[in-house]
Amino acid sequence: MSGYQYYPGCSLKGTGKPYEESLLAVAEALDIRLDELPDWNCCGATAYMAVDELQATTLATRNLAIAAADGRDLIAPCNACWLVLSKTAGHLADDPGLCSVVCGALQATCTIPNGDGPAPLSYDASVPIRHPLDVLVNDVGVETVAAAVTEPLEGLTVAPYYGCQIVRPLAPFDDQYDPVTMDRLLEAAGCDVLGDYPFKTRCCGASQMMTMPDVGVDLVAMLLEDAIARGADVIAVACPLCQFNLEAYQSKAFKRLGKKGRIPILYFTQLLGLAMGLSHRALGLQRSFVDVKPVLAGRSSDA
Amino acid sequence: MREPNGTPRIGVYVCHCGTNIASTVDVAAVRDAAESLPGVVLSRDYKYMCSDPGQELIKHDIAEFGLERVVVASCSPCLHEETFRGAVGEGGINPYFFQMVNIREHDSWVHRDIAAATAKANDLIRAAVRRVRFHEPLEPRRVPIDPRVMVVGGGIAGIHAALTLANAGKQVYLVEREPSIGGHMAMFDKTFPTLDCAACILTPKMTQVRAHPNIQIMTMSEVEEVSGFVGDYRVRVKHHPRFVIEDACVGCLECIDACVFRNGKTPDEFNLGLSKRKPIYIPFPQAVPQVVVIDPEACIEFRAGCRKKTCVEVCAERNAIDFQQEVTYDEVTVGAIILATGFQAFEASRLPQYGYGRLDAVYTALEVERLVNASGPTEGSIVLRDGSTPTSIGIIHCIGSRDKNTNEYCSRVCCMYSLKLAHLLKEKTDAEIYEFYIDMRTPGKGFEEFYNRVEEEGVHFIRGKVADVYPEAGNTGRVVLQAEDTLAGMVRKIPVDMVVLATGLEPQPDAEDVRRTFNITCGSGGFFTERHPKLAPVSTFTDGVFLAGACQGPKDIPDTVAQAGAAAAEALALIDAGHIELEPNTAFVVEERCSGCRTCVGMCPFSAISIVDGKAVINEVLCKGCGTCVAACPSGAIRQNLFEDEEIFEEILGVLTHV
Amino acid sequence: MATEPMIRIEADRDPEFAAWFTGLVGEEKLRECIHCGVCSGSCPLASHMDLGPRKLMYLAREGWADDVLGSNTIWLCTSCYACTVACPQQIPVTDVMYALKRKAIEAGKAPKRHPVAVMAKQFSRMVHRRGRMSEAYLIAGLALRSGVHRYVGMLPMGVNAVRTGRISLKLDRIRRRKELTALLDRVEREREEVAAS
């Protein structure tokens, strides 16, 4: 069976819904099959790790074990999920003692539906964990993406914002300090990409936004201010937490800067979809907090 | 198995080495245990066996008690085998009637348990006592030494070593890869801490080298292969074509003006690409030899053919230009070799967070040396890539040093050269200068005073490693340096016009090949390893091969020159003796057992074995005593002095008796 | 002007804590810190921290347990790993921050109603029970336990999220949640057994 398994994670079912919608729409347009991982659970994120390392590892391992039964590469679009799953696979490989405890418990308590009914769940390290940027650039290819572009986003200046966790501490598919995969995809979509946006991999504040918003707003303000100063019309992102923080806290951030401003924060998949002529609704654009119409005026059929 | 030579009378000496051995090994118990071993007529322990009284003890006992064999249990044979063999010889018996036992490095220093360490010492001594009974009288080998020396590398280290040897009347071959000697020092502007002009102090020495009757310079040359051994090294040198006949060129440089290229198009290596040169060029004005060179990559004669050949035309009857030159080889024989192959500056683009190669405002320190130099690409004025003059400059220390992601070691010279560049840049631009350092390391004569001077000049010192370098928004051309000011405990963002990366020193990119060619070793950082860090700092584990300068580790000019002088003195001491003595631990063939199967011939790493009249013959001078042939011979026809079968078997049995 | 003497006596140092801390990473790597400050320099939140990572690591390895476990630094870390990749001594600073968070919770030193600590607990409890995190309930729980006043300002955002269909009021859960609970309980039991033996 060709295609990929797909691990949405909790955010893509909630605040990150437009990411899921646009990812699935773009995948369909490129004829890539994505099957949602059956009965997946939360990856544990950063919060669980702060409370209990063993339990956090166990939680993530259950997902990896379900994926192992299928065997195809697993796509995790959320940066935090991608890192947690990748790091967990690394921990299990480096620490055989930990691996045997967790895997033993999995086999004893968890099942997976089989032809003849439920079978015990077992983990093996065979499934690569992939980010959509990696898959689109390295499997599908920038040329294939470019070939699917029907309405290039000419004149749209985009600041590519990768966030932290897909380049740190691991950076298996892109440059740690100056990642370019999103740049290349957005160029294929016809955008003017601000390749020298210096805060490409700075932190957005992550979950701090929920807990200590005052602190997070400073970070967001810096990211927005610099992108606008460089002439960005849109900031493109690849992570639901980055998207939410940059978008939802904009008014506070601009207030802190003593300026007026609005800038749409779009998933790179939404921009790719637009360039491929997909509808706003299919890409979840109507769910934006910041009105996207001004920057997209005159483009796409249902604008 | 043969019987021992009668029952020789053996003396055993157990050294305390102060407390180095005695604190972990019960030396009195070891002494008593040795006394009861078969053949041992005397056993003593002593505080320092290597001291004069310790050696006297051995000599006295040989005379007094008629000792015929001596075993000393102390430190590594690397340190004192010579010493004790000497004492045994002076005592009146053959120096090779001696066996050394290492109960320090192999025992007391690596164990904590006193009982176990003591038992181990007993085992090792028992083995030595059993082995030494079979020792045969031997004589060291004597080989003559060729009085010529090769110096590899024509930087300040090679120049100084070559001149020292040549002034002492020795013939020197100075091999340099580049078209001119001079090395990195020729690129520097001023030298710390005295601010002497580098060229002013270097070029007179370069001229002396050129004029010296005892020095033969080989530029554009590399050592291809080394064979032979100390006193008789055969070195094959590869000469790359210069396309200019060195003896015919007078250095008038008219050909450069005449070249069909009106302006240079090729990045100038000497100016690190900050300026352009023509296909025919002289590396720098004071180059030695004062001979032009043609770059076949750039010259159109080599691609499409040059119709005009204006260089040939203007050279006229001197006829120095030769487009037909090819690679040639020379083989020279020398008694000793000095390696002075230098370093390479750390490649700054390996740390992308500092923006080198991506941000125009970012320079390496070596580039800045050229910028501040009056004969550099900007004739000494500080003009940035965008044409402006900086009003604020950040200097970042430890780029590629003190960083386990690149090099763990401290490069030793960067603090001082950064201070020097801060001073020179301040003097030339009056810019605000910020030095970001981790620890300021100024441990040299006049260094701390120079640091104080630069502080007085108003340079800002920020103790913290720069975490991020990014372009300021709004196309200002400036970059922002972000770092924690660790002394103030706050994060600072400082916009500057120019960034200087104080790149560290790394081994040459081909250090590993050079190491293999000369059969020496490299340490963890990749620099060549000296024989002993304190007591043999310019020697290597290969006799007759010496080290000078930064190829052995990062160092500044004064240390490099001192080390080059030391290497020259060591080489002189070696070759002036006229001959050397070598260990007699060579292998030899028992002719009647040899079947002439040739197995040993291919195995010998030193090409010391040949087949003569169907039998293997080992050249005693070439044999290094590695024992490979002894183990490989299917007929057991090869034996080795000091490693006879019974000596080895007795030693093994001695250790295993315990088990 | 009021003054407070900044002086510490050796008896107040906690060598056991220091030993626990330096043992977190193999080969006593945490003792190799050269205090270059690149961790604090690269930290996006250093400006809001009382100590910042460099000072925190130093105080911890010297055994000033109360300063470390009571600091806001560990709770402000967002796990962006900027310090980890920049560290010249290859110290995994972010992982150490996680370990310090756990230690602070275990030692009861986590600030009582500090939202970060509260959220970590809320989050793990929700996931433990249901297998998934539901954003609306996480925030609601957070507000209740760390002070509603903090979250009043977020109300318009919540309204926006509901309006655009980006927040679900349904409490999500996985199908085989009983298995998940059994799994987590089982690794917990094994850990206790190991600790007991």
Side-chain angles (χ1 to χ4, degrees), chain C residues 1-193:
Chain C
M1 192 194 293
T3 61
E4 200 174 320
M6 185 58 199
I7 192 162
R8 295 291 172 85
I9 56 166
E10 193 58 10
D12 290 342
R13 222 163 53 81
D14 180 350
E16 251 173 60
F17 176 77
W20 167 82
F21 176 75
T22 59
L24 279 175
V25 182
E27 296 159 16
E28 294 287 308
K29 223 176 198 179
L30 295 175
R31 289 190 186 278
E32 291 180 5
C33 171
I34 56 173
H35 315 289
C36 71
V38 84
C39 46
S40 296
S42 62
C43 178
L45 288 162
S47 49
H48 295 269
M49 292 172 172
D50 46 6
L51 298 174
R54 174 186 57 83
K55 225 169 155 185
L56 181 86
M57 308 279 279
Y58 180 69
L59 290 170
R61 90 174 190 198
E62 293 303 309
W64 300 108
D66 290 344
D67 301 71
V68 170
L69 297 178
S71 88
N72 74 11
T73 298
I74 50 183
W75 300 106
L76 281 168
C77 171
T78 64
S79 314
C80 80
Y81 293 92
C83 48
T84 300
V85 300
C87 177
Q89 296 294 71
Q90 297 180 334
I91 294 170
V93 185
T94 312
D95 295 343
V96 171
M97 289 288 180
Y98 277 128
L100 288 171
K101 284 177 195 173
R102 293 192 292 265
K103 185 76 172 176
I105 293 174
E106 181 194 311
K109 292 280 169 59
K112 276 289 166 300
R113 287 163 71 83
H114 192 285
V116 183
V118 170
M119 186 187 75
K121 284 188 208 162
Q122 283 275 308
F123 185 100
S124 56
R125 198 172 301 148
M126 182 187 293
V127 172
H128 190 264
R129 284 193 198 141
R130 313 191 65 85
R132 286 189 193 167
M133 181 269 291
S134 302
E135 290 155 328
Y137 290 85
L138 184 65
I139 295 185
L142 189 57
L144 283 176
R145 283 177 181 77
S146 68
V148 175
H149 61 281
R150 293 175 197 270
Y151 296 90
V152 174
M154 285 174 73
L155 213 54
M157 213 178 294
V159 173
N160 247 340
V162 174
R163 177 179 62 80
T164 56
R166 281 169 64 178
I167 205 149
S168 164
L169 297 179
K170 192 181 117 230
L171 200 47
D172 202 2
R173 68 176 184 85
I174 65 171
R175 275 203 307 280
R176 282 185 284 282
R177 63 175 174 161
K178 281 191 184 133
E179 288 185 7
L180 182 71
T181 309
L183 170 67
L184 295 173
D185 290 347
R186 189 178 170 103
V187 292
E188 194 52 48
R189 267 207 315 282
E190 290 206 21
R191 169 164 46 196
E192 279 159 15
E193 279 163 24

Side-chain angles (χ1 to χ4, degrees), chain B residues 353-354 402-405 408 437-439 463-467 482-487 489 491, chain C residues 29 32 34-43 46-47 51 54-55 85-90:
Chain B
Q353 61 269 47
Y354 296 108
R402 302 189 71 194
D403 179 352
K404 287 183 178 171
N405 302 300
E408 185 175 0
Y437 67 99
I438 302 177
D439 293 298
R463 194 198 168 285
K465 188 178 168 89
V466 169
Q482 182 176 320
E484 187 195 14
D485 183 333
T486 60
L487 298 179
V491 177
Chain C
K29 223 176 198 179
E32 291 180 5
I34 56 173
H35 315 289
C36 71
V38 84
C39 46
S40 296
S42 62
C43 178
S47 49
L51 298 174
R54 174 186 57 83
K55 225 169 155 185
V85 300
C87 177
Q89 296 294 71
Q90 297 180 334

Side-chain angles (χ1 to χ4, degrees), chain B residues 183-226:
Chain B
H184 279 102
M185 186 173 169
M187 300 164 88
F188 299 159
D189 182 46
K190 301 271 171 36
T191 54
F192 62 76
T194 48
L195 298 177
D196 301 283
C197 146
C200 309
I201 58 177
L202 176 65
T203 51
K205 291 183 81 110
M206 290 167 61
T207 314
Q208 281 175 44
V209 168
R210 177 177 168 74
H212 209 296
N214 289 343
I215 300 178
Q216 185 182 340
I217 307 178
M218 299 173 169
T219 48
M220 305 193 74
S221 301
E222 292 175 274
V223 171
E224 182 97 335
E225 200 187 330
V226 178

Side-chain angles (χ1 to χ4, degrees), chain A residues 182-207:
Chain A
M182 198 197 307
D183 296 38
R184 290 172 59 203
L185 290 169
L186 294 174
E187 278 158 12
C191 303
D192 293 333
V193 180
L194 293 171
D196 66 344
Y197 179 52
F199 302 136
K200 271 181 174 180
T201 66
R202 283 287 178 88
C203 177
C204 69
S207 60

